[in-house]
Every structure is written in C-alpha cells, then in structure tokens.
Amino acid sequence: MNLSQRPLRGLAIILSLGLIIGSAASTIILARSFNNQIDDVIATYRVREQAYSSLALLNEAHSNQRGFLLTQDTGFLDLYKNATARLTESLNTLGEMTKGNARQQAMATRIHDLAKEKQAAVEAAIALSLSGKRADALASLGPTFGIGQLDEINKTVNSFLGEEDRRLVDRNIAMNSMRSWLTIASVSSLGGALILAYILASRTRRYVRRLAEGQSVLLSEKSVLEEMVRDRTSELEKAMLVATRERERVETLLQDSGSPHWKFTGHGFFSARHSDAGRVLGRNPGGARSCP
C-alpha cells in the first residue's frame, strides 16, 4: 500500500466509525422518542380519565342535592355528601397530575374553582332547607337547580379534553415525522458504513493479494538462486575432482620417471629439475608451475 493511501484509509475508517456512531445515536433517539410518546399518551389518558371522573362525581352530587331539596329525603343528602367528598379528592388529584404542565394546571384550577363555586351555592341551599326554609332554598338555586353552573363546568371540561386531544395528535404527528427522518438517517448511516467497509475490505484484500504475490515471487527467486548455488557447487566439486586426478596423474608420472626433478612444495607447487618432466608439465626446463 502506498504511503499516500494511508491518510485516505485512516480518513475512511474514521468516517465509517462516525456513520456507525450516528446510526447508533439515531436508534437510541428513536427508542427514547417512542418511549416518550407512549408516556405522553398514557399521561394524557390519565388526565382525561381523571377529568371525566370529576365531571361524573359533579353530576352525581347535583342529582343527589336536587333529590334532597325536592323530597327532603336524608338518604339523598348522605349520597350528596359522599359524592362531594369524592369530588374534592378527585379535583385535588387532577391538580396534582397537571403540576408539570402550566396550561393543564391552569385549566384544572379553573375546573376546581367552578366546582367549588357550585358546591358553595348548593351547600347554602341545603342549609336553608335543613333550617326549614325550603322555599328559600329552592329559590336560591333557581328553577333549574343550578344547572347553568353545571353546564359551564361541562363545557370547560370538554374544552380542556378537546384541547388535550388536539395537542396529543399534533405531538404524535411531529414525533412520527421526526421518527421518519431519524429512520432515514439511521439507514443512510448504516448504508454509508457498509459501503466504506466494503471499500476498505476490497483495498485490504488487494493489499493482501499483492503481498502474497510478492512473497510468492520472492520464494520463486529464492528457489532459482538455491538451484544456481547447487549447480555452481556441483561444478566446483567436479572441477576439484578433475584437479585432484590431474595431480595424482602427475605424481604418478614423476614417480615412474625414476629421478624426480619436481618437488612438491606443500603449497601445490613443484620445481622442475629435468627437462622431460618439464615437458610433461608443459614448462621449459628451469621453470615452475602450480598444480591445479
């Protein structure tokens, strides 16, 4: 691999890691947004249920107070007191559930104030009825027994719930849009990472192949060189064998001549002392020659 390719390879690795991290981050954000959306739906559902429960208790209290004022039956009075106690608890719970949302809390406070206002008027009418002033009690509530206040509370609660439904739908639409973009980003990041991984794998594969080819060429050249060394060694051994035989032949000739005029010096040299021996060795008398 070229030195100039190393920075590009490092940049590709960093980019690939960045895309993988981006994909993982998108997946985490998607999971968290999905959980937040579920929590939002659950919270809105609980607020709706609590508001409906408060409205039902308010209607129950209204029916029981009307029954008591018309019949003077204390059983209705007991039912009314029970309903108003549960209504107070339900309105307090609704206030607690909307504490984290200023808009919801303002609406819950409005519902609580309207219910308490109606309850105060009913309590005053019941007090008049218990003191024997039934006509005054009925007159204080009017011919509809305070149904106008109840209608106002119903409208307030329904408006509150309708607004919650609309906002929940808007949040869901925004969340779905965000999830779509995050999904596209996550898939794109994974696709980019896969492409970069493929490019890196291809380059690495080519590098390994070139390295293997180079190693194969080196091994081949090594084999050729070893063969040449073996051939040269064999040639030298043959040459040494021929030289040894020639020396032995010359020594034999000198011994057969009867009067050696050549003397072995210990360094492979002989001194010629006879003209015939000199001619045998291809030298003039008085010359010297080294034995191969």
Side-chain angles (χ1 to χ4, degrees):
M1 184 177 289
N2 273 340
L3 292 176
S4 61
Q5 292 179 344
R6 290 182 180 177
L8 295 177
R9 184 170 178 268
L11 180 61
I13 292 174
I14 293 174
L15 184 58
S16 179
L17 289 175
L19 289 173
I20 292 174
I21 293 173
S23 176
S26 298
T27 303
I28 293 173
I29 293 173
L30 279 173
R32 293 188 63 180
S33 66
F34 182 72
N35 292 334
N36 292 336
Q37 187 175 16
I38 291 176
D39 294 339
D40 191 20
V41 171
I42 292 174
T44 302
Y45 174 77
R46 288 176 177 172
V47 170
R48 286 174 57 87
E49 287 297 307
Q50 194 64 38
Y52 275 129
S53 176
S54 299
L55 187 58
L57 290 171
L58 188 61
N59 286 322
E60 182 182 348
H62 175 76
S63 298
N64 289 320
Q65 61 93 13
R66 184 177 182 180
F68 171 72
L69 292 175
L70 291 174
T71 64
Q72 296 296 305
D73 186 352
T74 56
F76 286 110
L77 183 59
D78 292 337
L79 292 174
Y80 166 78
K81 290 180 179 180
N82 182 38
T84 54
R86 288 186 291 144
L87 175 61
T88 300
E89 182 180 353
S90 179
L91 291 173
N92 291 335
T93 302
L94 181 62
E96 290 293 328
M97 292 176 65
T98 58
K99 263 188 176 179
N101 189 317
R103 183 186 54 80
Q104 289 182 348
Q105 191 171 18
M107 188 60 70
T109 302
R110 172 65 177 164
I111 295 171
H112 181 274
D113 292 342
L114 289 174
K116 288 300 180 181
E117 183 180 344
K118 175 175 174 51
Q119 189 177 354
V122 171
E123 290 288 345
I126 290 175
L128 289 173
S129 179
L130 290 175
S131 65
K133 299 177 182 180
R134 182 184 177 191
D136 293 337
L138 294 175
S140 67
L141 294 177
T144 60
F145 290 89
I147 196 68
Q149 288 179 314
L150 185 61
D151 287 341
E152 185 179 357
I153 295 174
N154 283 326
K155 289 179 182 179
T156 302
V157 171
N158 289 330
S159 174
F160 168 68
L161 296 178
E163 180 68 13
E164 287 303 308
D165 289 342
R166 187 185 65 79
R167 288 180 177 271
L168 180 61
V169 170
D170 291 342
R171 288 195 297 269
N172 287 338
I173 292 174
M175 193 65 67
N176 289 334
S177 177
M178 186 185 72
R179 278 207 299 268
S180 298
W181 283 110
L182 285 174
T183 301
I184 293 172
S186 179
V187 173
S188 300
S189 298
L190 283 176
L194 289 175
I195 292 173
L196 286 174
Y198 174 76
I199 294 173
L200 290 175
S202 298
R203 289 190 174 185
T204 302
R205 189 164 54 249
R206 287 197 299 269
Y207 173 72
V208 171
R209 185 172 63 250
R210 290 174 184 174
L211 187 63
E213 290 174 355
Q215 187 175 9
S216 177
V217 171
L218 288 176
L219 291 175
S220 176
E221 291 180 352
K222 179 183 177 182
S223 300
V224 172
L225 184 60
E226 289 178 348
E227 184 67 24
M228 292 176 63
V229 170
R230 283 195 297 270
D231 292 342
R232 183 59 179 165
T233 302
S234 177
E235 291 175 1
L236 290 175
E237 289 176 350
K238 290 179 181 179
M240 289 180 65
L241 181 60
V242 170
T244 301
R245 288 176 180 174
E246 284 295 322
R247 188 181 68 182
E248 292 175 352
R249 186 175 67 83
V250 170
E251 289 177 350
T252 301
L253 289 174
L254 291 175
Q255 290 175 359
D256 291 343
S257 65
S259 58
H261 292 274
W262 292 80
K263 182 179 180 182
F264 183 67
T265 63
H267 297 286
F269 293 92
F270 290 86
S271 298
R273 295 186 179 179
H274 193 275
S275 59
D276 293 335
R279 282 192 297 272
V280 170
L281 296 176
R283 297 296 300 271
N284 293 325
R289 184 185 177 205
S290 66
C291 181

